[in-house]
Amino acid sequence: MKERIDAHCRCSDTDMRKAMALAVAALVAVPGHGNAQAPDRAQAQVERGAAKRKIQAQGDDAMERVRRAIEARKPGADAPMPALPANPDAVTSRRAFDALRTRGKTPDIDQRARTALEQGRRDVANDRDAMVRRLNQAFGIEAPETAALARAALPATPPGCVPVLFVSSSMPIATLRTYAAQLEKARGVMALRGMPGGLSKIAPLAKLSAQILRLDPGCDGPACAMRDVQLIVDPIVFRQHGVARVPALAMIPSNPTLPYCEREDESPRSAHLVLGDAALSGMVEEFARLGGKEEVRDAQARLEIR
């Protein structure tokens, strides 16, 4: 009896172990337990693929819309030009100008403007020597030539009528030098219509002035002596006296070397104009013959001095 019970127990233990093994195998085979991570990864890959396809589809749609917009644009259909405002009528323009004329005066602004003007004049006077020195350094003009240019810019007012000889830079240098020597004795002025080389260039005028005013044409250096003759560039005095040909001589009652801002609105003019390629003394005599004996008396006396 005892042997049957032990055999039964032994069989039961064996059967129990087999049953446990089968249960473990079945548990492993159940979906979502031991192999649950595999479906999650597959689902994530599916979702990423779907998002990528959606982005690609949206990009394709955008490119298609751009293509259709380009094709729909008509050839030569440029953007319209902005329209300029129309010119104001006469009434509007008159009202604007009347408002400008009747604007209120501001004494403090006027005072500041006058103060600035006076300060500007003082600055110009103070900087004159520095400007002449810069010209000397820039164009190689030596000290005596620089002094001559400074005297030509701001000469002393000569007494009585001033002999003004109208010349041109196209005239021979030898002729201009001869006239300069005669004008030095008569205390006259040599006038050019314009700047040689144009208004934007000062070097040609400086070179021409040195060639005309040097006592020794072969001199080149700081010891070169210059003639005491004023050389001016003044198209207005040409126009006032109707000078169309040079050389020409005029006897001007005022100082023709003053700046425009210091001259009178109606500056006195010469009573006569002598034309002709002749010596200065001959032109002065012709001026006297035309009725200007009083005007040329001082110049004649100086030219006769040996």
Side-chain angles (χ1 to χ4, degrees):
M1 183 69 179
K2 184 179 180 179
E3 291 177 355
R4 285 197 300 271
I5 293 172
D6 291 339
H8 177 75
C9 290
R10 285 195 297 271
C11 292
S12 298
D13 291 339
T14 302
D15 294 338
M16 185 177 294
R17 285 195 296 270
K18 290 181 180 179
M20 289 178 65
L22 291 173
V24 169
L27 183 63
V28 172
V30 173
H33 190 270
N35 198 28
Q37 295 180 354
D40 293 341
R41 288 196 297 268
Q43 183 66 25
Q45 290 178 357
V46 171
E47 292 177 355
R48 284 197 296 270
K52 184 176 180 181
R53 288 191 297 273
K54 183 178 181 181
I55 293 173
Q56 183 66 33
Q58 292 177 352
D60 294 341
D61 292 342
M63 292 300 297
E64 180 63 22
R65 288 195 297 271
V66 171
R67 185 185 64 78
R68 287 197 300 268
I70 293 175
E71 292 179 353
R73 182 181 179 184
K74 296 180 180 179
D78 297 331
M81 294 295 293
L84 296 176
N87 293 329
D89 53 25
V91 176
T92 304
S93 299
R94 189 181 307 109
R95 289 174 56 189
F97 283 109
D98 290 342
L100 288 175
R101 283 194 296 268
T102 58
R103 70 184 187 278
K105 295 183 178 180
T106 52
D108 52 342
I109 294 179
D110 294 341
Q111 182 60 35
R112 288 201 300 270
R114 286 192 293 269
T115 303
L117 178 61
E118 294 298 329
Q119 183 63 39
R121 289 176 177 173
R122 288 194 295 269
D123 292 342
V124 169
N126 294 334
D127 294 343
R128 187 175 297 118
D129 293 339
M131 293 171 64
V132 172
R133 285 194 297 270
R134 287 196 293 270
L135 281 175
N136 179 31
Q137 296 173 0
F139 305 118
I141 304 174
E142 302 299 338
E145 300 172 357
T146 304
L149 288 178
R151 290 195 302 271
L154 290 173
T157 302
C161 291
V162 182
V164 178
L165 184 66
F166 299 94
V167 297
S168 171
S169 59
S170 61
M171 295 172 60
I173 295 296
T175 302
L176 294 174
R177 286 180 53 80
T178 301
Y179 278 130
Q182 298 170 358
L183 287 170
E184 185 178 27
K185 295 180 63 177
R187 294 185 181 177
V189 175
M190 186 176 291
L192 293 169
R193 184 188 298 273
M195 298 277 288
L199 292 176
S200 61
K201 299 179 181 179
I202 190 65
L205 176 62
K207 180 179 179 181
L208 180 64
S209 301
Q211 291 175 339
I212 295 173
L213 301 180
R214 280 197 186 106
L215 287 176
D216 182 2
C219 181
D220 185 13
C224 294
M226 308 293 291
R227 296 192 181 279
D228 187 12
V229 177
Q230 314 298 336
L231 180 62
I232 63 173
V233 178
D234 194 337
I236 293 181
V237 75
F238 269 78
R239 185 169 61 252
Q240 286 177 340
H241 292 83
V243 178
R245 294 190 298 115
V246 293
L249 176 68
M251 301 296 296
I252 299 180
S254 61
N255 184 3
T257 60
L258 288 175
Y260 294 143
C261 58
E262 298 181 14
R263 300 183 192 177
E264 299 178 358
D265 294 338
E266 292 295 334
S267 57
R269 304 180 186 179
S270 177
H272 310 285
L273 185 68
V274 178
L275 303 174
D277 188 5
L280 183 63
S281 57
M283 300 175 76
V284 169
E285 291 176 359
E286 179 63 19
F287 195 98
R289 190 187 65 81
L290 293 174
K293 292 182 179 181
E294 293 297 327
E295 290 88 339
V296 299
R297 179 176 298 175
D298 183 69
Q300 277 185 324
R302 294 181 182 279
L303 288 172
E304 291 173 359
I305 298 175
R306 298 297 181 182

